[in-house]
Every structure is written in C-alpha cells, then in structure tokens.
Amino acid sequence: MTPSKNSERETSAKVNRRVERSRHTVLSAAFELLSEGGVASFSVDEVARRSGVAKTTIYRHWPTREALVIDACSRMIAEQETPDTGSLEGDVTAILMEIAHLLPTANWSFVLPSIVDTAERNPEFAEIHSRIQRGHAAPLREVLQRAVDRGELPARADASTIVAALLGPLFYRRWFSREPIDDAFVKTIIKLALASL
Amino acid sequence: MTPSKNSERETSAKVNRRVERSRHTVLSAAFELLSEGGVASFSVDEVARRSGVAKTTIYRHWPTREALVIDACSRMIAEQETPDTGSLEGDVTAILMEIAHLLPTANWSFVLPSIVDTAERNPEFAEIHSRIQRGHAAPLREVLQRAVDRGELPARADASTIVAALLGPLFYRRWFSREPIDDAFVKTIIKLALASL
C-alpha cells in the first residue's frame, strides 16, 4: 500500500466521522424540537438554527422535512433490556415498573401522541409508529414466550391480548385519564392480567 | 300586550333561531375539518369556506380559533346511555361492545389523538380532554356504583383502576398497536378486569 493511499483513507475516515457527528447533532436537535412542539410545529429552519448545521447540509441527508421527522422519531424505539428474574410475574413486574417510571418523564412520552395523531392520516408515520410500538411490546413478548417454554404459561395463551391488558391501562392513565401511575396501580394491573392464566 | 310587542318578540325569536342555525352549521363544519386534519391544520378560513358563514360572524361567536376548536371538540363528549341488564358483567359487556364498535368508525376516534397531543402542551385542551374522558368513563362508573349498591361488588373495589383495566386495552389496540378489536378480545378483557372482584 502506498503512503498516498493511506492518507486518502485517513482523510475519508475523518470526513465520515465529521458527517456522523453532524448527523447526530441534527437528530438530537430534531428530537428536542419534537418533544417541545410535536410533529405539527416542526420545521427544518428551526433544526438548522438549533444545531448550527446549514439547511443545505441537512437537506443533503434528509431530502424532506418528513424524512427528518421520521428519522428523529426512530430514536424513540425503546432499547429496553429484558429482565430474567426466573418467574413470569417477576419479569412482567420489572418491565412494567420501568415503563411506569418512564411514562411521566421520558421525552418520547411527550412526542408519542403527536406521532399517533399523524399516523391517523399518514401511512409512513403509521409504519414508524408500528415500529415504536413493537419496540415497547418486545420485552413483554419475550418474557411471555419464555414462560411458555418453561411450562409456566399454557401455549394457547394469547400474548397479544396479555400485552394489551398490561400496557393498555398504563397508557390510558398517561394519555387519557391523566391519573398518576403508582406502584399499587401497576401491581393490580399485573394481578388482573395474569390472574386467569 | 300590544301587537307591536308581540311582533318584536317574534322577530327576536326568529333572530335567535337564525343565530342558532348558523352556530350549528359552523360547529358541524369545524368538527368535520377536525376529523380530517386534526387540531394542527385547523383554520377559521376553511371553516368559513365550508359553512358559508362569514368569518366576521364566526369571530363574533368565537373570539379566537382556539375557542372554536374547543367548542367543536365539546361535541365529542359522549352521550352514551347507561345499560341496566341486572348484572355487572352484562352492563360492562354492553358498554364495552358499543365502544369497541365505535372506536374504528366514529369521527371522534380520528380527532382524539390530536386533542391528546395538544393537551400535552395546552392547559385549556387538557381541560376539554378531561371532560371528554370523564364522558367516556361515566357509564362504566355508574354501573360499577350500582353493583356496589346491590352488593355484587365490594365497596373497597377501586372504580378508577377497573375503568383503566377495561378501557385501556381497547384504546391501546385502537391507537397504539392498531390491532382489530373483536368480540373475543373484548370478552377476555372483561373477564380479566372483573376476575378478582
């Protein structure tokens, strides 16, 4: 390999790092803006202002405002660890307590209604919304499958109904009735959802 | 009473009827527009165009765009009849089957996410949203209270938790997981929510 090849490679690596950093800065600013005002009041101008990245550069990576919103929303896809306490009730309690703790505080919980709303009328958003939703439900589905595998849960148990019975009441309190989601509430919901298994 | 008084009264009754008709026309157009595009894309100009009522007249009744949106949203407050089948399970089944039937089709179900989203950032909307929510939950609270009165339900049962366990999973399927809400699902949710009572 010639020295000139080496230095070309270094330059290209530097450029990649710079591009990566600038992408990251733009996505952070975009997500922050979404948390504050939802999808409706989102503008590329404001993202450019906050991130200090030129609009032309932003549009080079994301050809439309919508593409940028969708990419920023993808950051909401939860990367929760799946607990392994040895029992279905233990696992479900660990997962729901974490969600109950995140719901009133996490940035994504302020953005999600805006995505739900946009998804009503826009198929691209419906798709990203489905992905976020599958991310939220994934750890529950995993611990339910594990409980089936070790014989704690009958194989005929309908995972999708159990997930709705577990997450639904928490989401209802966060976004619909706006009541507090305390530990006693979460424990009762778990008891009800797993009662007849 | 003089004939002139009589005719004054008739004229004023006519004016009232006309005002009432025009209010109704404006609110219908406003609600239709909300169903199509949510709160964000709502404009008084478009309401004037669709209703054929002059913008100046609209602003005479609703001083701001927001006042008109909120008044149109109030029409979403459900006026459901409360069933009386003689048993808690029968009553709850009748109520939830009706909601399950309305969720995928009723106009309000397309507008609600937009109100939830706006309520995140706007206290006036949070208030109207609470009223809509209390309207949805009212028949359930009534049949639960009746079940307590006749001794079918222990007085210590927490109505607010049971309402969340009943409505939450249906709302979850409608707006979050976007899965169908079939009769079997509704029946399982009722069984789970009332199981440990």
Side-chain angles (χ1 to χ4, degrees), chain B:
Chain B
M1 193 175 293
T2 63
S4 115
K5 274 266 184 208
N6 250 339
S7 109
E8 259 176 46
R9 187 169 295 174
E10 268 168 39
T11 313
S12 135
K14 259 190 207 163
V15 169
N16 282 343
R17 273 200 301 276
R18 207 178 53 225
V19 167
E20 205 33 65
R21 256 204 315 275
S22 123
R23 265 183 62 89
H24 181 79
T25 309
V26 170
L27 284 175
S28 296
F31 187 68
E32 187 190 277
L33 191 57
L34 279 176
S35 323
E36 289 171 20
V39 176
S41 65
F42 184 93
S43 81
V44 176
D45 278 315
E46 181 60 17
V47 173
R49 204 190 60 74
R50 289 187 181 206
S51 63
V53 175
K55 255 175 83 173
T56 47
T57 310
I58 296 179
Y59 277 119
R60 208 176 306 134
H61 291 290
W62 297 276
T64 61
R65 165 188 178 274
E66 203 157 73
L68 177 53
V69 173
I70 286 177
D71 211 1
C73 290
S74 311
R75 299 186 49 171
M76 291 171 46
I77 295 168
E79 297 202 2
Q80 286 171 278
E81 290 207 21
T82 305
D84 193 356
T85 65
S87 81
L88 177 60
E89 199 185 327
D91 289 348
V92 167
T93 304
I95 294 170
L96 256 66
M97 285 296 177
E98 194 189 340
I99 295 179
H101 172 75
L102 290 172
L103 277 174
T105 54
N107 271 344
W108 58 259
S109 95
F110 296 92
V111 182
L112 200 55
S114 180
I115 298 178
V116 171
D117 177 40
T118 314
E120 288 290 319
R121 284 171 283 273
N122 179 320
E124 260 192 287
F125 272 85
E127 167 50 30
I128 180 76
H129 180 225
S130 297
R131 271 164 54 203
I132 294 169
Q133 204 41 60
R134 284 196 296 273
H136 281 141
L140 282 176
R141 287 188 170 267
E142 192 179 331
V143 302
L144 287 168
Q145 184 55 50
R146 227 193 270 142
V148 169
D149 293 345
R150 65 173 174 250
E152 197 182 344
L153 190 65
R156 57 164 175 71
D158 180 8
S160 133
T161 301
I162 300 173
V163 168
L166 288 167
L167 290 183
L170 273 65
F171 284 21
Y172 178 82
R173 284 218 161 167
R174 169 64 182 85
W175 289 296
F176 294 90
S177 73
R178 299 170 169 269
E179 292 162 283
I181 306 170
D182 53 33
D183 288 6
F185 174 74
V186 176
K187 280 179 190 156
T188 306
I189 292 304
I190 294 172
K191 205 181 78 186
L192 294 176
L194 303 184
S196 61
L197 297 178

Side-chain angles (χ1 to χ4, degrees), chain A residues 7-70:
Chain A
S7 110
E8 260 175 42
R9 187 170 293 174
E10 268 167 37
T11 312
S12 136
K14 259 189 206 162
V15 168
N16 283 342
R17 275 200 301 276
R18 206 177 56 224
V19 168
E20 206 31 66
R21 257 203 314 276
S22 125
R23 267 183 62 87
H24 181 80
T25 310
V26 170
L27 285 174
S28 296
F31 186 69
E32 187 191 278
L33 191 57
L34 279 175
S35 323
E36 289 171 22
V39 177
S41 65
F42 183 92
S43 82
V44 176
D45 278 316
E46 181 60 17
V47 174
R49 204 189 60 74
R50 289 186 182 207
S51 64
V53 175
K55 253 175 84 174
T56 48
T57 310
I58 296 179
Y59 277 118
R60 209 175 305 134
H61 291 290
W62 297 275
T64 61
R65 164 187 178 275
E66 203 159 71
L68 178 54
V69 173
I70 286 177

Side-chain angles (χ1 to χ4, degrees), chain A:
Chain A
M1 194 178 290
T2 64
S4 115
K5 276 266 182 211
N6 248 339
S7 110
E8 260 175 42
R9 187 170 293 174
E10 268 167 37
T11 312
S12 136
K14 259 189 206 162
V15 168
N16 283 342
R17 275 200 301 276
R18 206 177 56 224
V19 168
E20 206 31 66
R21 257 203 314 276
S22 125
R23 267 183 62 87
H24 181 80
T25 310
V26 170
L27 285 174
S28 296
F31 186 69
E32 187 191 278
L33 191 57
L34 279 175
S35 323
E36 289 171 22
V39 177
S41 65
F42 183 92
S43 82
V44 176
D45 278 316
E46 181 60 17
V47 174
R49 204 189 60 74
R50 289 186 182 207
S51 64
V53 175
K55 253 175 84 174
T56 48
T57 310
I58 296 179
Y59 277 118
R60 209 175 305 134
H61 291 290
W62 297 275
T64 61
R65 164 187 178 275
E66 203 159 71
L68 178 54
V69 173
I70 286 177
D71 210 2
C73 288
S74 312
R75 300 186 52 171
M76 289 171 48
I77 295 168
E79 298 202 1
Q80 286 172 280
E81 290 208 20
T82 305
D84 192 357
T85 65
S87 80
L88 177 60
E89 199 184 327
D91 289 348
V92 167
T93 304
I95 294 170
L96 256 66
M97 286 296 178
E98 195 190 338
I99 294 178
H101 173 75
L102 290 171
L103 277 174
T105 55
N107 271 343
W108 57 258
S109 94
F110 296 91
V111 182
L112 201 54
S114 180
I115 297 178
V116 171
D117 177 39
T118 314
E120 288 290 320
R121 285 170 284 275
N122 179 322
E124 261 192 285
F125 271 84
E127 167 51 30
I128 181 76
H129 180 227
S130 298
R131 273 164 53 201
I132 294 169
Q133 205 40 60
R134 285 196 295 273
H136 282 140
L140 282 176
R141 287 188 170 266
E142 192 179 331
V143 302
L144 287 167
Q145 184 54 51
R146 227 193 270 141
V148 169
D149 292 345
R150 67 173 173 250
E152 197 181 345
L153 191 63
R156 57 167 176 69
D158 181 9
S160 131
T161 301
I162 302 173
V163 168
L166 288 166
L167 291 183
L170 273 66
F171 285 19
Y172 178 83
R173 283 216 162 168
R174 169 63 182 85
W175 289 297
F176 294 90
S177 73
R178 300 171 169 267
E179 292 162 283
I181 306 171
D182 54 33
D183 288 5
F185 174 74
V186 176
K187 280 180 189 155
T188 306
I189 292 305
I190 295 172
K191 204 182 77 184
L192 294 177
L194 303 183
S196 60
L197 297 179

